[in-house]
């Protein structure tokens, strides 16, 4: 994949000598590849440690790990239970609307 992006960028740069818009397209292609294409995940702040490795806490987890998913799911469940507890009438109304 990287070879195709580099060769495509070179072609766009060569075309850019006649029309400078192609240079902007080449820069955009490189930017998108650097942001999204190298490892298949968004952003650069992802941890490189293994999901089961040492280094407890949320900082040691990769964004796609099952543990991170479980933590997000459990946190969402806690918020939903809290909402139902603090707003019983709204929770009942929402449950009725879901059944309809």
């Amino acid at each position: 994949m990287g070879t195709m992006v580099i060769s495509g960028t070179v072609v766009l740069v060569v075309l850019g000598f006649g029309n400078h818009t192609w240079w902007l397209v080449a820069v955009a292609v490189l930017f998108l590849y650097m942001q999204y294409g190298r490892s298949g995940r968004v952003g650069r702040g992802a941890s490189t440690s293994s999901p089961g490795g040492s280094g407890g806490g949320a900082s040691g987890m990769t964004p796609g790990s099952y543990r991170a998913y479980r933590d997000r799911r459990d946190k969402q469940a806690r918020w939903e239970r809290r909402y139902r507890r603090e707003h019983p009438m709204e929770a009942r109304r929402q449950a009725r609307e879901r059944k309809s």
Side-chain angles (χ1 to χ4, degrees), residues 59-72:
S59 63
M61 290 186 288
T62 58
S65 71
Y66 180 68
R67 180 172 292 180
Y69 160 74
R70 270 193 353 222
D71 290 344
R72 288 190 309 269

Side-chain angles (χ1 to χ4, degrees), residues 8-28:
T9 304
V10 169
V11 168
L12 291 172
V13 167
V14 170
L15 289 173
F17 288 110
N19 184 358
H20 298 301
T21 306
W22 291 112
W23 284 347
L24 294 174
V25 173
V27 169

Side-chain angles (χ1 to χ4, degrees), residues 4-92:
M4 290 181 2
V5 170
I6 298 299
S7 61
T9 304
V10 169
V11 168
L12 291 172
V13 167
V14 170
L15 289 173
F17 288 110
N19 184 358
H20 298 301
T21 306
W22 291 112
W23 284 347
L24 294 174
V25 173
V27 169
V29 166
L30 284 177
F31 172 77
L32 291 173
Y33 177 69
M34 295 298 285
Q35 280 295 111
Y36 304 108
R38 280 196 289 179
S39 62
R41 53 178 197 260
V42 178
R44 292 185 177 175
S47 173
T48 57
S49 66
S50 64
S54 63
S59 63
M61 290 186 288
T62 58
S65 71
Y66 180 68
R67 180 172 292 180
Y69 160 74
R70 270 193 353 222
D71 290 344
R72 288 190 309 269
R73 183 192 63 192
D74 293 346
K75 188 175 187 180
Q76 179 69 28
R78 284 194 302 270
W79 277 104
E80 288 174 359
R81 285 193 300 269
R82 179 179 176 188
Y83 181 82
R84 285 195 304 266
R85 187 173 58 245
E86 293 178 358
H87 302 92
M89 297 303 288
E90 288 87 354
R92 286 189 199 127

